[in-house]
């Protein structure tokens, strides 16, 4: 193959990777180079450290030169400071000349001096730019712009002194804006960054001061602000220089926000349809400016999407404010919020336009959502009054049927003003959530929200419409049935269940106004939640038991039973809970059902607390129910609670009989404890006697010992001594430490109690030197037999150690 053919062929076969792949290869090579450089630097540092003792820097023979001081300010910084200070000083000098020395010159001198200085200051930047002195040129240009402002002020003081300040300011600021713009566009001055932003700043004043001069009123001033904001928006979107665009954006946001707020305030304070329409036109102008900026920003770079989104939201909100304010001037105050909500929902229809940028579309959707959220906040107090208001009947149960549903929920609260449109607002937002939200990710949340708003609509209707009390109960009961059915059959189970529980609680409180209503509602709620337990047992079964306990209390009150007698009826609930828990087994509903039953048992004990005989009966029945629960293998520890309940029942019964003998309270503890200890010791011979017998013995011996020491009679000490002797003998017979030591200790202390009076008498009869002498003799005797006693002590320890 010839060379002429080979070279083009090889060039065509050369592999040139795409830019992304080539960038990745370059990054990999650079990382390898960095790693190799780090290795070499580490090796160099090691070599320098290794050679450091051998290498000495050459010694300086002469005086050491002083180190040059580090500059604290860079040359460009010094230059900029000097230029700025120079420009400011020249400006101040010009102001002093204008204000102080102006009167010493004639009209010709004034004109020549100021004109010459201004022309020189504006012309000087051109040659400076050609020489590359850009910073100096900017400073001199700033001086020239300031001199033009002083020229305008001086001209007003000298020539147009009779002209009012507002129109002169409008004309002067417009001329200055045009002059500075033309100056900044000169062929030699295009590199100056100050004139055009300064011109834009001056352009903010003409329209506003012209409106003041024309006495345009608040509407004219607002229109001037919005027109200025529109001009700033156009400049910000169309201009290229960054400084001009920044100044224009600041002006657009600042002046536009000021104008939009002023227009919104005019809409809110409009006294009639005509004024409201003019204010609405201004608000729509502000909305159009924001929408145009958002539209243009949504088509540009991605970094502008955030600003475009915010502008689109503001545009949508301003449209709602404009149209809603107009409707407010025509409709009663009751319909203010529904009118704004209607226009907010109507924004969603605009989203179907295909030409809208995605950013604008999302912004309008957020604006609609914001209007709907604010409307819901307005309706929230009504829902709160309907749900929480019936709690006031808890302190005035069965005092009389209220006149209507609104009176039933406002027993302790005030009805919000203009709340008649709240159900309409709730229903409208619910319809939007149910029909308009189609996104897969948001659809479940929207469905849950729609269900909650539909529920709020249903429960607020009776109070809003002032329906009869019975009709309100029926509607709220139907709502509870509907939400519970939705919890059983639909996907939004948790939301519907929470709504059903809240509705049932509010309904139960609402029914407290009337005795028949209370009994009927509680019966219905028990049946309803019992029927729903086949699917939602962990939640509905405990609720049914709770309403069952409330029904038992209501039945007892209706039958004029005392609270202690009512407690016996309440015990049906713990018994039913224990039976149901036994049938449920390892179900998730077992623990909630048992908890509900335990709570009902505590309620029964609290109701019976004022009658000791009935309290003892209730405690005993609770012990029977608990003991029945303890039969289950997984609930054996509940047996301790059953024993405690039986013991408490015994004590309460003894207290009711006014028994004050401590053994009557302690023996019911001691006998079962000893039986249980003996059974355990028999099954597990390794069990310590302290674990098996000490608790039971101490439960009776210790309180009886304290009682014997304060008992002046002989019966209790004698019986206690006999019992302690028997316990000691039993411990010695069976080689058990706990009975031996406990019985012996109690026997010794009981004997000392009997000997105490005689010891006191003997002590009083003896001379004072006798007790010390006896103590000394005792110590001598102990010392003489020390070794023997140690041997006996070791034998006793060995003997006790062999006991169990």
């Amino acid at each position: 193959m010839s060379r002429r053919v080979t070279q083009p062929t090889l060039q065509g076969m050369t592999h040139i990777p795409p830019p992304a792949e080539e960038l990745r290869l370059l990054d990999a090579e650079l990382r390898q180079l960095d790693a190799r450089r780090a290795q070499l630097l580490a090796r160099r540092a090691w070599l320098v450290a290794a050679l450091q003792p051998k290498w000495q820097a050459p010694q300086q023979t002469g005086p050491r030169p002083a180190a040059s001081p580090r500059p604290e300010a860079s040359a460009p910084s010094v230059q900029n400071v000097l230029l700025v200070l120079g420009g400011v000083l020249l400006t101040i000098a010009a102001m002093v000349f204008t204000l102080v020395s102006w009167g010493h010159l004639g009209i010709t001198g004034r004109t020549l001096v100021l004109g010459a200085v201004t022309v020189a200051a504006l012309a000087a930047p051109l040659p400076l730019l050609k020489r590359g002195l850009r910073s100096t040129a900017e400073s001199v240009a700033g001086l020239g712009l300031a001199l033009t402002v002083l020229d305008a002020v001086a001209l007003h003081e000298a020539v147009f002194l009779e002209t009012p300040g507002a129109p002169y300011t409008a004309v002067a600021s417009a001329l200055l804006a045009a002059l500075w713009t033309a100056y900044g566009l000169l062929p030699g001055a295009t590199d100056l960054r100050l004139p055009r932003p300064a011109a834009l700043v001056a352009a903010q004043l003409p329209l506003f001061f012209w409106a003041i001069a024309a006495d345009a009123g608040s509407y004219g001033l607002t229109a001037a602000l919005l027109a200025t904001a529109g001009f700033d928006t156009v400049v910000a979107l169309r201009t290229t220089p960054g400084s001009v665009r920044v100044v224009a954006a600041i002006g657009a946001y600042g002046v536009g926000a000021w104008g939009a707020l002023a227009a919104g305030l005019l809409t809110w304070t409009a006294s009639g349809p005509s004024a409201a329409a003019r204010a609405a036109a201004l608000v729509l102008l502000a909305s159009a400016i924001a929408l145009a900026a958002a539209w243009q920003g949504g088509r540009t770079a991605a970094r502008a999407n955030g600003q475009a989104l915010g502008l689109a939201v503001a545009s949508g909100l301003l449209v709602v404010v404009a149209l809603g304010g107009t409707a407010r001037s025509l409709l009663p105050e009751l319909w203010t919020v529904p009118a704004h909500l209607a226009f907010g929902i109507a924004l969603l229809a605009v989203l179907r336009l295909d030409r809208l940028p995605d950013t604008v579309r999302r912004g309008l959707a957020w604006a609609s959502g914001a209007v709907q959220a604010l409307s819901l906040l307005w309706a929230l107090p009504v829902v709160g009054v309907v749900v929480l208001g019936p709690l006031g009947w808890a302190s005035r149960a069965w005092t009389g049927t209220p006149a209507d549903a609104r009176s039933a929920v406002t027993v302790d609260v005030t009805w919000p003003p203009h709340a008649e449109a709240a159900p309409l607002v709730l229903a409208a937002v619910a319809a939007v959530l149910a029909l308009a939200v189609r996104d897969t990710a948001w659809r479940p949340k929207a469905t849950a929200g729609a269900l909650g708003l539909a529920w709020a609509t249903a429960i607020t209707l009776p109070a809003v419409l002032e329906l009869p009390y019975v009709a309100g109960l029926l509607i709220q009961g139907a709502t509870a049935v509907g939400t519970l059915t939705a919890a059983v059959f639909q996907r939004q189970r948790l939301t519907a269940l929470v709504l059903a529980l809240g509705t049932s609680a509010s309904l139960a409180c609402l029914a407290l106004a009337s005795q028949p209503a209370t009994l009927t509602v509680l019966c219905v709620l028990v049946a309803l939640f019992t029927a729903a337990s086949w699917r939602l047992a962990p939640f509905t079964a405990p609720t049914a038991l709770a309403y069952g306990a409330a029904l038992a209390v209501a039945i007892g009150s209706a039958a004029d039973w005392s609270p202690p007698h009512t407690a016996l009826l309440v015990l049906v609930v713990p018994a039913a809970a224990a039976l149901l828990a036994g049938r449920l087994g390892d179900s998730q509903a077992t623990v909630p059902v048992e908890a509900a039953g335990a709570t009902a048992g505590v309620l029964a004990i609290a109701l019976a607390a004022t009658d000791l005989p009935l309290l003892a009966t209730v405690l005993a029945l609770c012990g029977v129910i608990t003991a029945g629960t303890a039969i289950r293998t997984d609930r054996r520890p509940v047996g301790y609670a059953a024993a405690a309940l039986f013991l408490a029942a015994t004590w309460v019964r003894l207290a009711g009989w006014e028994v004050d003998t401590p053994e009557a309270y302690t023996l019911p503890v001691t006998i079962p404890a000893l039986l249980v200890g003996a059974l355990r010791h028999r099954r597990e011979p390794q069990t310590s006697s302290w674990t098996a017998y000490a608790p039971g013995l101490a439960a009776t011996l210790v309180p009886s010992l304290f009682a014997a020491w304060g008992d002046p009679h002989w019966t209790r000490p004698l019986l206690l001594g006999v019992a302690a002797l028997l316990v000691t003998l039993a411990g010695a017979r069976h080689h058990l430490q706990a009975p031996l030591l406990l019985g012996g200790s109690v026997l010794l202390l009981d004997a000392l109690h009997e000997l105490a009076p005689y010891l006191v008498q003997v002590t009083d009869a003896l001379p004072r030197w006798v007790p010390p002498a006896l103590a000394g003799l005792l110590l001598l005797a102990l010392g003489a037999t020390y070794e023997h006693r140690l041997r006996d002590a070791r034998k006793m320890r060995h003997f006790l150690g062999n006991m169990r």
Side-chain angles (χ1 to χ4, degrees):
M1 185 178 293
S2 65
R3 183 177 180 182
R4 183 176 53 186
V5 177
T6 303
Q7 186 173 1
T9 304
L10 291 177
Q11 291 177 357
M13 294 174 62
T14 301
H15 175 68
I16 300 177
E21 181 66 19
E22 185 177 359
L23 179 61
R24 187 185 67 80
L25 294 175
L26 290 176
D27 290 339
E29 291 292 339
L30 290 174
R31 283 195 296 270
Q32 293 178 0
L33 291 175
D34 290 339
R36 182 58 179 166
R37 185 174 184 274
Q39 294 176 356
L40 295 175
L41 289 175
R43 181 62 179 174
R44 180 184 180 279
W46 183 85
L47 291 173
V48 169
L51 297 174
Q52 189 68 30
K54 302 177 181 179
W55 179 77
Q56 296 285 338
Q59 299 293 329
Q60 265 189 345
T61 58
R64 209 169 181 189
S68 60
R70 183 179 179 182
E72 297 182 357
S74 61
S77 301
V78 174
Q79 167 192 309
N80 293 333
V81 170
L82 293 177
L83 291 176
V84 171
L85 287 177
V88 171
L89 291 176
L90 288 176
T91 304
I92 294 174
M95 293 174 62
V96 171
F97 171 76
T98 304
L99 298 176
V100 177
S101 301
W102 184 261
H104 301 289
L105 300 175
I107 185 63
T108 305
R110 300 171 187 173
T111 305
L112 291 176
V113 170
L114 272 181
V117 174
T118 303
V119 171
L122 293 176
L126 301 180
L128 291 175
L129 287 174
K130 291 180 179 181
R131 294 177 177 270
L133 302 175
R134 181 170 180 173
S135 299
T136 306
E138 292 285 355
S139 299
V140 177
L143 175 61
L145 299 180
L147 288 175
T148 57
V149 176
L150 293 177
D151 289 341
V153 174
L155 189 62
H156 178 268
E157 295 296 328
V159 180
F160 301 103
L161 187 59
E162 301 297 329
T163 305
Y168 184 82
T169 302
V171 174
S173 58
L175 293 176
L176 288 175
L179 175 63
W180 292 349
T181 303
Y183 178 69
L185 295 177
L186 290 176
T190 52
D191 292 336
L192 293 174
R193 291 177 294 183
L194 187 60
R196 280 175 287 179
L200 187 59
V201 172
Q204 309 299 309
L205 304 178
L207 289 179
F208 183 75
F209 281 97
W210 187 263
I212 295 177
D215 197 14
S218 55
Y219 290 91
L221 293 175
T222 305
L225 290 174
L226 292 176
T228 304
F231 169 74
D232 292 335
T233 302
V234 173
V235 173
L237 294 174
R238 298 297 181 183
T239 190
T240 302
S243 58
V244 178
R245 188 166 59 250
V246 170
V247 174
I250 294 174
Y253 280 113
V255 180
W258 188 10
L261 289 176
L265 183 61
L266 291 175
T267 303
W268 186 257
T269 58
S271 58
S274 176
R278 286 184 292 162
L282 295 174
V283 177
L284 289 176
L285 175 60
S287 174
I289 295 171
L291 181 61
W295 195 302
Q296 185 67 26
R299 294 180 174 180
T300 57
R303 63 175 180 269
N305 284 341
Q307 299 179 8
L309 180 64
L311 290 171
V313 172
S315 176
L317 293 176
L318 288 173
V319 169
V320 174
V321 170
L323 301 179
T326 304
R328 176 177 171 272
S329 64
L330 300 172
L331 299 174
E333 188 175 358
L334 171 66
W335 299 101
T336 299
V337 175
H340 285 80
L341 177 62
F343 292 119
I345 295 174
L347 280 179
L348 298 175
V350 183
L351 303 181
R352 297 183 177 274
L353 299 177
D354 296 333
R355 298 182 58 186
L356 282 179
D358 291 339
T359 305
V360 176
R361 193 187 308 275
R362 287 189 289 114
L364 294 179
W366 279 105
S368 177
V371 174
Q372 297 177 52
L374 292 174
S375 301
L376 292 180
L377 286 178
W378 172 81
L380 187 61
V382 182
V383 181
V385 168
V386 172
V387 174
L388 302 178
L391 291 175
W393 289 105
S395 60
R396 48 172 63 87
W398 299 354
T399 55
T401 303
D404 51 46
R406 184 179 296 183
S407 302
V409 299
T410 57
V411 60
D412 279 337
V413 295
T414 304
W415 184 252
H418 308 296
E420 288 74 13
L424 179 61
V425 171
L426 297 170
V429 179
V432 171
L433 291 177
L435 301 176
V437 179
R438 298 297 180 186
D439 186 75
T440 306
W442 287 91
R443 183 63 181 171
K445 299 178 181 179
T447 304
L451 179 61
L453 292 176
W455 164 83
T457 304
I459 65 171
T460 54
L461 271 177
V464 169
L465 300 178
E466 296 184 276
L467 297 179
Y469 172 69
V470 177
L473 290 178
L474 292 175
I475 293 176
Q476 198 157 351
T479 305
V481 173
T483 51
L484 193 58
T485 304
V488 172
F489 294 104
Q490 290 187 359
R491 295 182 179 179
Q492 298 296 333
R493 177 166 297 179
L494 181 60
T495 302
L497 182 60
V498 171
L499 295 177
L501 294 176
T503 307
S504 65
S506 178
L507 177 62
C509 293
L510 191 63
L512 290 175
S514 171
Q515 177 179 320
T518 301
L519 298 175
T520 303
V521 166
L522 289 178
C523 289
V524 171
L525 290 178
V526 170
L528 177 64
F529 284 95
T530 302
S533 296
W534 67 282
R535 289 289 297 273
L536 303 171
F539 304 98
T540 55
T543 306
L545 292 173
Y547 286 129
L551 178 61
V553 174
I555 292 174
S557 300
D560 291 332
W561 291 357
S562 63
H565 288 85
T566 304
L568 298 174
L569 184 59
V570 175
L571 287 178
V572 176
V573 176
L579 295 175
L580 180 60
R583 295 291 301 272
L584 290 174
D586 295 335
S587 173
Q588 295 181 352
T590 303
V591 175
V593 167
E594 290 175 343
T599 304
V602 173
L603 174 62
I605 293 173
L607 290 173
T610 57
D611 192 332
L612 293 182
L614 282 177
L615 178 59
T617 304
V618 170
L619 288 171
L621 292 175
C622 289
V624 172
I625 297 172
T626 309
T629 302
I631 296 175
R632 294 161 48 194
T633 306
D634 57 339
R635 293 293 186 268
R636 291 295 170 80
V638 180
Y640 296 105
L645 288 170
F646 283 128
L647 180 62
T650 304
W651 286 353
V652 170
R653 175 62 66 180
L654 292 174
W657 288 338
E658 298 182 355
V659 175
D660 55 0
T661 303
E663 290 78 10
Y665 294 90
T666 57
L667 285 176
V669 180
T670 298
I671 295 173
L674 291 177
L675 292 176
V676 172
L679 181 61
R680 181 176 179 183
H681 191 268
R682 183 177 180 181
R683 291 182 177 180
E684 300 177 7
Q686 303 299 326
T687 304
S688 173
S689 61
W690 292 101
T691 303
Y693 301 109
L697 293 174
T700 294
L701 293 178
V702 174
S704 297
L705 180 62
F706 281 105
W709 273 82
D711 194 347
H713 304 288
W714 58 270
T715 307
R716 177 176 281 109
L718 177 60
L719 295 177
L720 178 61
V722 172
L725 178 61
L726 294 176
V727 171
T728 304
L729 294 176
R733 171 69 178 80
H734 296 284
H735 299 277
L736 299 175
Q737 281 186 3
L740 179 62
L741 296 182
L742 283 176
S745 300
V746 173
L747 181 60
L748 178 61
L749 293 174
D750 186 64
L752 289 176
H753 169 264
E754 295 302 315
L755 294 176
Y758 302 103
L759 294 177
V760 171
Q761 294 177 4
V762 170
T763 303
D764 292 338
L766 292 175
R768 299 195 172 205
W769 57 269
V770 173
L774 293 177
L777 291 174
L778 178 62
L779 291 177
L780 288 175
L782 290 176
T785 58
Y786 184 73
E787 183 178 2
H788 180 71
R789 292 182 179 275
L790 284 178
R791 186 174 64 251
D792 294 342
R794 284 194 295 269
K795 291 181 180 180
M796 180 61 68
R797 184 177 60 185
H798 180 69
F799 174 73
L800 293 176
N802 291 332
M803 294 182 179
R804 296 184 296 274

